[in-house]
Amino acid sequence: MANPPIILVRPQLGQNIGKTARAMLNFGLTDLRLVDPRDGWPNPDAGPSAAGAGEVLDKARVYPTVDTAIEGCSFVYAATVRSRDMAKPAATPREAAAQMRGLILAGENPAIMFGPERSGLTNEDIALADAVLTVPINPDYGSLNLAQAVILVAYELFQESDVTPAYQPAHPDGLAKKEELIGLMQQIEGILDKKGYFKSKDRRDTQRRTLRNLLQNAEFSSQEIQTMRGVVKSLAWEDRE
Amino acid sequence: MANPPIILVRPQLGQNIGKTARAMLNFGLTDLRLVDPRDGWPNPDAGPSAAGAGEVLDKARVYPTVDTAIEGCSFVYAATVRSRDMAKPAATPREAAAQMRGLILAGENPAIMFGPERSGLTNEDIALADAVLTVPINPDYGSLNLAQAVILVAYELFQESDVTPAYQPAHPDGLAKKEELIGLMQQIEGILDKKGYFKSKDRRDTQRRTLRNLLQNAEFSSQEIQTMRGVVKSLAWEDRE
């Protein structure tokens, strides 16, 4: 699992540090780093809002500067509200998550830093980043708080793969080949013909198509086709002396 | 843009209703419905935590029951912490978002409902849903609050591109509206009650829920509901001389 550090740069409220820890742990992130938190550390307001994610707070490390907090990291994302014109690659949380998984597989150490609640990261902070991370948001109303921005990034990191889930066949042993299905249809139709099921020449085509649709939509496996053929045969059995 | 209703079922705290409005508007959702909010409505605690998303609160509509809140909707997701064994399709927020975009393109009206903060949706509530929506989460620590669950769903809906193919409705003529389905359920339940189908007061709820799930999962079209109502009526017909 990807577990990149979440770096809060000069966070203001202890409550938001606690909420960030909770957001992180929900998606398996545990490496919290604090750069120069306004009210010092530990902060008594953090624990209550962490809702059981105290372990993340207990392990949090404090650094005096961004420079020192990103030591050991090899690729840093700077979360910003708008992708400022910083001549840096921009990524959405989804793109960043995919990139980070790739980076980690390649032996790199990515990290994401978030700025203070009110003002966000400074251009000075962002200058230390490799890429800018921006959440696509309602252009007429952008009001994500710190923990919400973190939870969206953490959520994206937790998603295993971005691709559409594989088609789940109804049968682990696979669907029947079409020739098997058609064999069953022909068997049934032959018997029905003999027994006078089809009311008239006109209606026969419609009745037959209804029946074929029904059998088709049942998505039988090979094994089930065999069973069905046996059942049909037994049903039609006539004991002739 | 997809703008399906967000239905909060029996929400407890006004503050969480406000946070939900904020989470919604960040990603362009504006249709908030409240089912029987514990502290009534309007709630003075909602506004301050909505952080400028007051327009969503102002337009929120209140309903006495889930039945009435989902009127006009044709496909309902029930958000649950774990995908309970409800014999309903389960979707992640990402899958549900892709499905909802497809549903909307197909002219359907999807909605998502969330349960009360403490207890979540009841099985009775979930019986009215077409699918269960569950956020994949750290199995050792799941502590998403109401507004966080909403924001993840809203965020996914806001993502523009998605490779998931459009949802293919079972019926080219569209799914029935929920009030049509509930009408059928009530018709059947009324007759079953009269005919003594329900064994005991205790078992009635379970039998009724089983029946509702079964009818729900059949994914009837409007036309089929009409047919079913006729069939049920005929079945129950008693010729009294």
Side-chain angles (χ1 to χ4, degrees), chain B residues 1 39 47 52 58 65 88-89 100 122 127 135 152 163 190 192 240:
Chain B
M1 245 297 293
D39 299 334
D58 294 344
T65 60
K88 284 184 197 288
M100 280 189 269
T122 64
V135 179
L152 292 174
V163 294
L192 291 178
R240 276 183 250 272

Side-chain angles (χ1 to χ4, degrees), chain A residues 106-196:
Chain A
E108 302 295 342
N109 298 291
I112 314 114
M113 59 181 180
F114 297 81
E117 291 90 327
R118 190 163 295 276
S119 53
L121 293 168
T122 64
N123 288 347
E124 181 87 12
D125 299 326
I126 298 172
L128 291 168
D130 296 84
V132 166
L133 190 162
T134 304
V135 179
I137 208 165
N138 180 356
D140 300 327
Y141 173 83
S143 175
L144 273 188
N145 65 28
L146 179 57
Q148 286 172 333
V150 171
I151 207 169
L152 293 174
V153 173
Y155 162 80
E156 284 287 3
L157 277 164
F158 194 74
Q159 304 306 303
E160 286 307 308
S161 74
D162 284 340
V163 296
T164 310
Y167 175 73
Q168 298 287 338
H171 297 287
D173 53 336
L175 295 174
K177 293 281 185 299
K178 288 306 175 198
E179 60 269 30
E180 297 175 287
L181 178 63
I182 291 168
L184 172 65
M185 289 169 171
Q186 289 172 340
Q187 179 201 23
I188 294 174
E189 287 157 9
I191 297 167
L192 291 178
D193 260 334
K194 258 194 285 184
K195 303 236 173 180

Side-chain angles (χ1 to χ4, degrees), chain A residues 19 22 25-28 50-53 93-94 135-139 141-145 148 151-152 155-156 158-159 161-162 164-165, chain B residues 22 25-28 50-53 93-95 135-138 141-145 148 151-152 155-156 158-159 161-165:
Chain A
K19 286 180 181 174
R22 178 182 183 179
L25 194 57
N26 266 311
F27 297 106
R94 183 163 306 172
V135 179
I137 208 165
N138 180 356
Y141 173 83
S143 175
L144 273 188
N145 65 28
Q148 286 172 333
I151 207 169
L152 293 174
Y155 162 80
E156 284 287 3
F158 194 74
Q159 304 306 303
S161 74
D162 284 340
T164 310
Chain B
R22 176 182 184 178
L25 194 56
N26 265 312
F27 297 106
R94 183 162 308 171
E95 291 162 352
V135 179
I137 208 165
N138 178 356
Y141 173 83
S143 173
L144 273 188
N145 66 28
Q148 286 172 333
I151 206 169
L152 292 174
Y155 162 80
E156 284 287 3
F158 194 74
Q159 303 307 301
S161 74
D162 197 298
V163 294
T164 312

Side-chain angles (χ1 to χ4, degrees), chain B residues 24 28 36 45 66 73 75 81 87-88 97 103 106 113 123 133 139 143 151 161 168 172 183-184 187 193 214 220-221:
Chain B
M24 288 170 62
D36 189 23
D45 294 340
V66 172
C73 302
F75 196 99
V81 173
K88 284 184 197 288
L103 284 163
M113 58 182 180
N123 287 347
L133 190 162
S143 173
I151 206 169
S161 74
Q168 297 289 335
L184 173 65
Q187 180 201 21
D193 261 333
L214 181 159
F220 291 126
S221 67

